[in-house]
Coordinates of all heavy atoms in Angstrom, one line a residue:
Q1 N -13.4 -10.2 4.2 CA -13.8 -11.6 3.6 C -13.0 -12.6 4.3 O -12.0 -12.3 5.0 CB -13.4 -11.6 2.0 CG -14.1 -10.5 1.2 CD -13.8 -10.5 -0.2 OE1 -12.8 -11.3 -0.5 NE2 -14.6 -9.9 -0.9
K2 N -13.5 -13.8 4.3 CA -12.8 -14.9 5.0 C -12.2 -15.8 4.0 O -12.7 -16.1 2.9 CB -13.8 -15.7 5.8 CG -14.3 -15.0 7.1 CD -15.1 -15.9 7.9 CE -15.6 -15.1 9.3 NZ -16.5 -16.0 10.1
T3 N -11.0 -16.4 4.2 CA -10.2 -17.3 3.3 C -10.8 -18.7 3.6 O -11.6 -18.9 4.6 CB -8.9 -17.3 3.5 OG1 -8.5 -17.7 4.8 CG2 -8.3 -15.8 3.2
R4 N -10.3 -19.8 2.8 CA -10.8 -21.1 3.2 C -10.3 -21.5 4.4 O -10.9 -22.4 5.1 CB -10.1 -21.9 2.0 CG -10.7 -21.6 0.7 CD -10.0 -22.6 -0.4 NE -10.6 -22.5 -1.7 CZ -10.2 -23.1 -2.8 NH1 -9.2 -24.0 -2.7 NH2 -10.7 -22.8 -4.0
S5 N -9.2 -21.1 4.9 CA -8.7 -21.4 6.2 C -9.6 -20.9 7.4 O -9.4 -21.2 8.6 CB -7.2 -21.0 6.5 OG -7.2 -19.7 6.5
G6 N -10.3 -20.0 7.0 CA -11.3 -19.3 8.0 C -10.6 -18.1 8.6 O -11.4 -17.3 9.3
E7 N -9.5 -17.8 8.2 CA -8.9 -16.5 8.6 C -9.3 -15.3 7.9 O -9.4 -15.4 6.7 CB -7.3 -16.6 8.5 CG -6.7 -15.3 9.1 CD -5.1 -15.4 9.2 OE1 -4.6 -16.4 8.6 OE2 -4.5 -14.6 9.7
R8 N -9.7 -14.3 8.5 CA -10.2 -13.1 7.8 C -9.1 -12.4 7.1 O -8.0 -12.2 7.6 CB -10.9 -12.2 8.7 CG -12.1 -12.8 9.3 CD -12.9 -11.7 10.1 NE -12.2 -11.0 11.0 CZ -12.7 -9.9 11.6 NH1 -13.8 -9.5 11.4 NH2 -11.7 -9.3 12.6
T9 N -9.4 -11.9 5.8 CA -8.6 -11.0 5.2 C -9.2 -9.7 4.8 O -10.5 -9.7 4.7 CB -8.1 -11.7 3.9 OG1 -9.1 -11.9 3.0 CG2 -7.3 -13.0 4.2
L10 N -8.3 -8.8 4.5 CA -9.0 -7.4 4.3 C -8.2 -6.8 3.1 O -7.1 -6.7 3.1 CB -8.7 -6.4 5.5 CG -9.4 -5.0 5.3 CD1 -10.9 -5.1 5.3 CD2 -8.9 -4.3 6.6
A11 N -9.0 -6.5 2.0 CA -8.5 -5.9 0.8 C -8.7 -4.3 1.0 O -9.9 -3.9 1.1 CB -9.1 -6.3 -0.4
I12 N -7.6 -3.6 0.8 CA -7.7 -2.0 1.0 C -7.2 -1.5 -0.2 O -6.2 -1.7 -0.8 CB -6.8 -1.5 2.2 CG1 -7.3 -2.2 3.4 CG2 -6.8 -0.1 2.3 CD1 -6.3 -2.1 4.6
T13 N -8.0 -0.6 -0.8 CA -7.6 0.2 -1.9 C -7.5 1.6 -1.5 O -8.6 2.1 -0.9 CB -8.6 0.0 -3.1 OG1 -8.8 -1.3 -3.5 CG2 -8.3 0.8 -4.4
F14 N -6.5 2.2 -1.8 CA -6.4 3.6 -1.4 C -5.5 4.5 -2.5 O -4.7 3.8 -3.2 CB -5.7 3.9 0.0 CG -4.4 3.4 0.1 CD1 -3.2 4.3 -0.1 CD2 -4.0 2.1 0.4 CE1 -2.0 3.9 0.0 CE2 -2.7 1.6 0.6 CZ -1.7 2.6 0.4
R15 N -5.8 5.8 -2.4 CA -5.0 6.6 -3.3 C -4.1 7.6 -2.4 O -4.9 8.3 -1.5 CB -5.9 7.5 -4.2 CG -5.3 8.4 -5.2 CD -6.4 8.9 -6.1 NE -5.8 9.8 -7.0 CZ -5.7 11.1 -6.8 NH1 -6.2 11.7 -5.7 NH2 -5.3 12.0 -7.7
C16 N -2.9 7.7 -2.6 CA -2.0 8.5 -1.9 C -1.3 9.5 -2.7 O -0.7 9.2 -3.7 CB -1.0 7.6 -1.2 SG 0.2 8.5 -0.2
V17 N -1.4 10.8 -2.4 CA -0.8 11.9 -3.1 C 0.3 12.5 -2.3 O 0.1 12.9 -1.1 CB -1.8 13.0 -3.5 CG1 -1.0 14.1 -4.3 CG2 -3.0 12.4 -4.5
V18 N 1.6 12.4 -2.7 CA 2.7 12.7 -1.8 C 3.5 13.8 -2.6 O 3.8 13.8 -3.8 CB 3.6 11.6 -1.5 CG1 4.8 11.9 -0.6 CG2 2.8 10.4 -1.0
K19 N 3.9 14.9 -1.8 CA 4.7 16.0 -2.4 C 6.2 15.5 -2.3 O 6.5 14.4 -1.6 CB 4.5 17.2 -1.5 CG 3.2 18.0 -1.6 CD 3.3 19.2 -0.9 CE 1.9 19.8 -1.1 NZ 1.8 21.1 -0.3
E20 N 6.9 16.1 -3.3 CA 8.2 15.6 -3.5 C 9.2 15.5 -2.2 O 9.9 14.5 -1.9 CB 9.0 16.3 -4.5 CG 10.4 15.9 -4.9 CD 11.0 16.8 -6.0 OE1 10.4 17.8 -6.4 OE2 12.2 16.4 -6.5
H21 N 9.1 16.6 -1.3 CA 9.9 16.5 -0.2 C 9.5 15.4 0.8 O 10.3 15.2 1.9 CB 9.8 17.9 0.5 CG 8.6 18.3 1.0 ND1 7.6 18.9 0.4 CD2 8.1 18.1 2.3 CE1 6.5 19.0 1.1 NE2 6.8 18.5 2.4
N22 N 8.3 14.8 0.6 CA 8.0 13.6 1.5 C 8.1 12.3 0.8 O 7.5 11.2 1.4 CB 6.6 13.9 2.0 CG 6.4 15.0 3.0 OD1 7.3 15.2 3.7 ND2 5.3 15.8 2.9
F23 N 8.7 12.2 -0.4 CA 8.8 10.9 -1.1 C 9.6 9.8 -0.2 O 9.1 8.8 0.0 CB 9.6 11.1 -2.3 CG 8.9 11.8 -3.5 CD1 9.5 12.0 -4.6 CD2 7.4 12.0 -3.3 CE1 8.8 12.7 -5.7 CE2 6.9 12.6 -4.4 CZ 7.5 12.9 -5.6
E24 N 10.6 10.2 0.5 CA 11.3 9.2 1.2 C 10.5 8.7 2.4 O 10.5 7.5 2.7 CB 12.6 9.8 1.8 CG 13.7 10.1 0.6 CD 15.0 10.7 1.3 OE1 15.0 10.6 2.6 OE2 16.0 11.0 0.5
E25 N 9.9 9.6 3.0 CA 8.9 9.1 4.1 C 7.8 8.2 3.7 O 7.5 7.2 4.4 CB 8.4 10.4 4.9 CG 7.7 10.0 6.2 CD 7.0 11.3 6.9 OE1 7.5 12.3 6.4 OE2 6.3 11.0 7.8
A26 N 7.2 8.6 2.5 CA 6.2 7.7 2.0 C 6.6 6.4 1.5 O 5.9 5.3 1.8 CB 5.6 8.6 0.7
N27 N 7.9 6.3 1.0 CA 8.3 5.1 0.5 C 8.5 4.2 1.8 O 8.4 3.0 1.8 CB 9.7 5.2 -0.3 CG 9.3 5.7 -1.7 OD1 8.3 5.5 -2.1 ND2 10.2 6.5 -2.3
A28 N 9.1 4.8 2.8 CA 9.4 4.1 4.0 C 8.0 3.4 4.6 O 8.0 2.3 5.0 CB 10.0 4.8 5.0
K29 N 7.0 4.3 4.6 CA 5.7 3.8 5.1 C 5.2 2.7 4.2 O 4.6 1.7 4.7 CB 4.7 5.0 5.2 CG 5.1 6.1 5.9 CD 5.2 5.8 7.5 CE 5.4 7.0 8.4 NZ 5.5 6.6 9.7
L30 N 5.4 2.7 3.0 CA 5.0 1.7 2.0 C 5.7 0.4 2.2 O 5.1 -0.6 2.0 CB 5.1 2.1 0.5 CG 4.2 3.3 0.0 CD1 4.5 3.8 -1.5 CD2 2.7 2.8 0.0
N31 N 6.9 0.6 2.4 CA 7.8 -0.7 2.7 C 7.2 -1.4 4.0 O 7.1 -2.7 4.0 CB 9.1 -0.4 3.0 CG 9.9 0.0 1.6 OD1 9.4 -0.5 0.5 ND2 10.9 0.9 1.7
I32 N 6.8 -0.6 5.0 CA 6.2 -1.3 6.2 C 5.0 -1.9 5.9 O 4.6 -3.1 6.3 CB 6.1 -0.2 7.3 CG1 7.5 0.3 7.6 CG2 5.3 -0.7 8.5 CD1 7.3 1.5 8.7
L33 N 4.1 -1.2 5.0 CA 2.8 -1.9 4.6 C 3.0 -3.1 3.9 O 2.3 -4.1 4.1 CB 2.1 -0.7 3.8 CG 0.7 -1.1 3.4 CD1 -0.2 -1.4 4.7 CD2 0.1 0.0 2.6
K34 N 4.0 -3.1 2.9 CA 4.3 -4.4 2.2 C 4.5 -5.5 3.0 O 4.1 -6.6 2.8 CB 5.5 -4.2 1.2 CG 5.3 -3.2 0.1 CD 6.4 -3.0 -0.6 CE 6.2 -2.1 -2.0 NZ 7.5 -1.8 -2.7
K35 N 5.2 -5.4 4.1 CA 5.6 -6.5 5.0 C 4.4 -7.0 5.6 O 4.4 -8.3 5.9 CB 6.7 -6.1 6.0 CG 8.1 -5.6 5.4 CD 9.0 -5.2 6.5 CE 10.3 -4.8 5.9 NZ 11.4 -4.3 6.9
A36 N 3.4 -6.2 5.9 CA 2.2 -6.7 6.6 C 1.3 -7.3 5.7 O 0.2 -7.9 6.1 CB 1.7 -5.5 7.3
C37 N 1.4 -7.1 4.3 CA 0.4 -7.6 3.3 C 0.7 -9.0 2.9 O 2.0 -9.3 2.6 CB 0.2 -6.6 2.2 SG -0.5 -5.0 2.7
E38 N -0.3 -9.7 2.6 CA -0.1 -11.0 1.9 C 0.3 -10.7 0.4 O 1.1 -11.4 -0.2 CB -1.4 -11.8 1.9 CG -1.8 -12.3 3.3 CD -0.8 -13.5 3.7 OE1 -0.5 -14.2 2.8 OE2 -0.6 -13.6 4.8
D39 N -0.4 -9.8 -0.1 CA 0.0 -9.4 -1.5 C -0.1 -7.8 -1.7 O -1.0 -7.3 -1.1 CB -1.3 -10.0 -2.5 CG -0.9 -9.8 -3.9 OD1 0.4 -9.5 -4.2 OD2 -1.8 -9.7 -4.8
F40 N 0.7 -7.3 -2.4 CA 0.7 -5.8 -2.5 C 1.2 -5.5 -3.9 O 2.1 -6.0 -4.4 CB 1.9 -5.3 -1.4 CG 1.9 -3.7 -1.6 CD1 1.0 -3.0 -0.7 CD2 2.9 -3.2 -2.2 CE1 1.2 -1.6 -0.7 CE2 3.0 -1.8 -2.4 CZ 2.1 -1.0 -1.6
E41 N 0.4 -4.6 -4.5 CA 0.6 -4.2 -5.8 C 0.3 -2.6 -6.1 O -0.7 -2.3 -5.6 CB -0.2 -5.0 -6.8 CG 0.1 -4.6 -8.3 CD -1.0 -5.3 -9.3 OE1 -1.7 -6.3 -8.7 OE2 -0.9 -5.1 -10.4
I42 N 1.3 -1.9 -6.7 CA 1.1 -0.7 -7.0 C 0.5 -0.6 -8.4 O 1.2 -0.9 -9.3 CB 2.3 0.2 -7.0 CG1 2.8 0.2 -5.5 CG2 2.1 1.7 -7.5 CD1 4.2 1.0 -5.4
I43 N -0.8 -0.2 -8.6 CA -1.5 -0.3 -9.8 C -1.0 0.9 -10.8 O -0.8 0.5 -11.9 CB -3.0 -0.3 -9.6 CG1 -3.5 -1.5 -8.7 CG2 -3.7 -0.3 -10.9 CD1 -4.9 -1.6 -8.4
K44 N -0.9 2.0 -10.3 CA -0.5 3.1 -11.1 C 0.2 4.1 -10.3 O -0.1 4.4 -9.1 CB -1.8 3.7 -11.7 CG -1.5 4.8 -12.6 CD -2.9 5.3 -13.3 CE -2.6 6.3 -14.4 NZ -3.8 6.9 -14.8
Q45 N 1.2 4.7 -10.9 CA 2.0 5.7 -10.2 C 2.3 6.9 -11.2 O 2.9 6.5 -12.3 CB 3.2 5.1 -9.7 CG 4.1 6.2 -9.0 CD 5.3 5.5 -8.3 OE1 5.2 4.7 -7.5 NE2 6.5 6.2 -8.5
E46 N 1.9 8.1 -10.9 CA 2.1 9.0 -12.0 C 2.3 10.4 -11.3 O 1.9 10.6 -10.1 CB 0.9 9.1 -12.9 CG -0.3 9.5 -12.2 CD -1.5 9.5 -13.2 OE1 -1.3 9.4 -14.3 OE2 -2.7 9.9 -12.8
E47 N 3.0 11.4 -12.0 CA 3.2 12.7 -11.5 C 1.9 13.5 -11.8 O 1.4 13.4 -12.8 CB 4.4 13.3 -12.2 CG 5.8 12.7 -11.6 CD 6.9 13.3 -12.1 OE1 6.8 14.6 -12.6 OE2 8.1 13.0 -11.9

């Protein structure tokens, strides 16, 4: 979709299942993703 300024934006919805021994690596990847996003929200997190 395009914003009023004409710059394109992309909304991505994804589901990520991570095993416990990869929690730290997953969190690090999420932090990188947060920096690149205009808006970032974790809707639901459960075991």
Side-chain angles (χ1 to χ4, degrees):
Q1 298 179 354
K2 289 186 180 181
T3 63
R4 292 179 180 178
S5 62
E7 185 177 2
R8 296 191 304 168
T9 61
L10 181 66
I12 302 174
T13 302
F14 65 90
R15 180 172 180 268
C16 179
V17 179
V18 182
K19 290 185 178 180
E20 183 177 3
H21 68 272
N22 286 326
F23 282 175
E24 291 185 4
E25 183 179 356
N27 287 329
K29 300 294 185 183
L30 288 174
N31 288 332
I32 295 173
L33 185 59
K34 286 178 182 179
K35 294 178 181 179
C37 295
E38 290 289 331
D39 183 25
F40 181 86
E41 179 185 359
I42 298 177
I43 298 173
K44 185 178 182 182
Q45 180 174 309
E46 62 181 356
E47 290 190 8

